[in-house]
Amino acid sequence: MSIKKRVFINTMAFLWLALAVVAIVFLLLQQLQKKFSKKKKILPPGPRGLPLLGNLHMFGDNLHQDLNKIAKKHGPIMSIHFGLVPVIVASTPYAAEQFLKTHDLTFSSRPSNQVSENIFYKRKNLVSARYGPYWRNMRKLCTLQLLSSAKILAFQPMRKQELGILINFVKQAAMEHKVVDLTAKVGSLSANMSCLMIFGKKYMDEDLGEKGFKAIIQDMLHIAALPNFSDFFPFLRIFDLQGYNRRVKELAKLFDEFLERVIDEHVGESNEQKQAKDMVDTLMEILQSGAAEFEFDRRHVKAIMLDLLIASMDTSSTTIDWILTELLRHPDVMKKVQNELEQVIGKNRMVEESDLESLEYLDMVIKESNRLHPAAPLLLPHESIEDCTVDGFHIPKGSRVLINIWAIGRDPDTWVEPEKFKPERFQGSNIDLRGRHFQLLPFGSGRRSCPGLQLGLTVVRLMVAQLVHCFNWELPNGMMPKDINITEKFGLVTARAQHLMAIPNYRLHI
Ligand code: HEM
């Protein structure tokens, strides 16, 4: 071999060796950098989980209460796992503010699940839409066209009429000294008001499946709150081990047939005789005129119809049920509310919506009840759209975030004697329910907060004021106020486990 050839081979060998060394050093540096940066990315503290299952085995019937107990040990920003899904739990006002205000944009999405995919037309509703242009457009449409102050005012005569029907029923029960199932009555009234506002007519039990309208909606809310393995272990989805996915698909079919029927009834119907255009009328007008500047077809209309129904029915009635429960448990507070109603309205006429602004003590009662019994104790789950550092902790993209407002309402560092029902704690305080004060968030806060707040609060204040103004309430069977059971039944909306039963006595002079 010539010297030239040997020099060439040696040079090439050297070059290859050098390249290999550079590649190895590069890879080593990359690994080191990864290790180093991993060290810096500290997840929030949390309980040790089991392989695959994560922390699912730690939870019983009341997730919000269990999370509160665990957070007491691990801190206000806590990290757990539901199966393979990373979950972050915020349990103090400061922690809630971090997710809902300081880093609001990052945590403005919602996780996908079997219910949102199947029942809500692949997340075309507002509640479970992922954060982005579609959600922004839908939210604008809902707030400006369906839930504006003008629209809420337009339904005032309907609310008066429906509440009048309930008051007449209770008056009759008072004359006969009969027990009234307040939970059922308030639930029916709230469902009727929602149906009239959204669909323009009341729907009866026979209108939705064999089980009936209200039972099917309860079914859906229940299944939406249950831990579905398919959501936490996506690879198990095809096995549907709990049979939930089959049930979700059955419900989706039932709802779709019902919503199609409602839309068909609206198409071609004249609006001229209607007191106020219902929400389906408004949605169909937008659809037919092509006024929406984004993809908006029949599926979107159906998704929003269902959203509004589900979001408004149980939240309002559950909130009212808890307020009435606390009033019956605290006769002194009940008396003060009635005294205020007498001062502002007297006993010669019924409460009008225009009176509500003047009822300051009632307002404090509503705040206090929402502090202890928020309808949605964990809000709705939020999801992070990118990696983020919160209070020094690394929160990976795709984490599910639960804001435990039930725990916040009972935090002893935030509230004096938190377990006591004391509306007077709000005397002279500027804390309101609008999401500006992170110690009290029954409607959430920030981008994903409740767009139905004004409507919800109007219904809650009106129903409570009317029922307490018109009647004195007595517990049946010699029951004492302290005996009222306040056990909770966890769900997306968390109600009392038992119905509230009481005997009315009419107290007005008309
Ligand atoms: C007392 C009654 C109500 C309560 C306590 C309540 C509470 C809530 C809560 C806690 C959230 C989730 C906030 C979050 O995840 O950060 C929410 C969202 C929502 N609420 Fe309400 N709500 C009530 C009434 C209503 C009414 C009457 C409507 C409409 C008719 C409505 C429509 C919605 C919608 C569409 C969302 C989803 C917003 C989004 O994801 O962008 N709510 N509500």
Short mmCIF file of all heavy atoms in Angstrom, two decimals, residues 3 8 51 72 123 154 199 371 423:
data_model
loop_
_atom_site.label_atom_id
_atom_site.label_comp_id
_atom_site.label_asym_id
_atom_site.label_seq_id
_atom_site.Cartn_x
_atom_site.Cartn_y
_atom_site.Cartn_z
N ILE A 3 2.16 5.12 0.58
CA ILE A 3 2.09 5.97 1.80
C ILE A 3 0.86 6.88 1.74
O ILE A 3 0.17 7.08 2.73
CB ILE A 3 3.37 6.80 1.94
CG1 ILE A 3 4.54 5.85 2.15
CG2 ILE A 3 3.27 7.80 3.08
CD1 ILE A 3 5.89 6.50 2.19
N PHE A 8 -4.32 8.49 3.83
CA PHE A 8 -5.75 8.76 3.61
C PHE A 8 -6.62 7.92 4.56
O PHE A 8 -7.54 8.42 5.22
CB PHE A 8 -6.09 8.44 2.14
CG PHE A 8 -7.56 8.61 1.85
CD1 PHE A 8 -8.14 9.87 1.73
CD2 PHE A 8 -8.38 7.49 1.71
CE1 PHE A 8 -9.50 10.00 1.48
CE2 PHE A 8 -9.75 7.62 1.46
CZ PHE A 8 -10.29 8.89 1.34
N PRO A 51 -48.84 1.46 41.26
CA PRO A 51 -48.56 1.39 39.83
C PRO A 51 -49.87 1.33 39.05
O PRO A 51 -50.81 0.66 39.49
CB PRO A 51 -47.77 0.08 39.67
CG PRO A 51 -47.34 -0.31 41.04
CD PRO A 51 -48.22 0.36 42.02
N LYS A 72 -54.57 18.29 53.46
CA LYS A 72 -54.14 18.77 54.78
C LYS A 72 -52.74 18.24 55.08
O LYS A 72 -51.96 18.87 55.78
CB LYS A 72 -55.11 18.29 55.87
CG LYS A 72 -56.47 18.91 55.80
CD LYS A 72 -56.79 19.63 57.11
CE LYS A 72 -58.12 20.31 57.14
NZ LYS A 72 -58.42 21.25 56.08
N ARG A 123 -67.52 17.31 21.91
CA ARG A 123 -67.17 18.53 22.64
C ARG A 123 -67.56 19.81 21.90
O ARG A 123 -66.83 20.79 21.92
CB ARG A 123 -65.68 18.54 22.96
CG ARG A 123 -65.24 17.34 23.77
CD ARG A 123 -63.74 17.23 23.83
NE ARG A 123 -63.16 18.20 24.72
CZ ARG A 123 -61.86 18.35 24.90
NH1 ARG A 123 -61.02 17.58 24.27
NH2 ARG A 123 -61.39 19.26 25.73
N ALA A 154 -86.23 39.39 29.82
CA ALA A 154 -87.36 38.98 28.97
C ALA A 154 -88.09 37.77 29.55
O ALA A 154 -89.27 37.57 29.28
CB ALA A 154 -86.86 38.66 27.56
N PHE A 199 -86.39 25.83 25.65
CA PHE A 199 -87.18 25.18 24.60
C PHE A 199 -88.53 25.85 24.33
O PHE A 199 -89.23 25.49 23.39
CB PHE A 199 -87.47 23.72 24.98
CG PHE A 199 -86.27 22.93 25.36
CD1 PHE A 199 -86.26 22.12 26.49
CD2 PHE A 199 -85.12 22.97 24.59
CE1 PHE A 199 -85.15 21.38 26.84
CE2 PHE A 199 -84.00 22.22 24.93
CZ PHE A 199 -84.01 21.43 26.06
N ARG A 371 -70.72 29.23 50.69
CA ARG A 371 -69.38 28.96 51.26
C ARG A 371 -69.31 27.52 51.75
O ARG A 371 -68.35 26.80 51.46
CB ARG A 371 -69.12 29.93 52.43
CG ARG A 371 -67.81 29.68 53.15
CD ARG A 371 -67.62 30.64 54.32
NE ARG A 371 -68.48 30.34 55.47
CZ ARG A 371 -68.26 29.39 56.36
NH1 ARG A 371 -67.18 28.62 56.26
NH2 ARG A 371 -69.10 29.20 57.38
N PRO A 423 -74.16 34.00 58.75
CA PRO A 423 -74.22 34.97 57.63
C PRO A 423 -73.60 36.32 58.01
O PRO A 423 -73.09 37.03 57.14
CB PRO A 423 -75.72 35.13 57.37
CG PRO A 423 -76.35 33.92 57.97
CD PRO A 423 -75.49 33.49 59.11
#
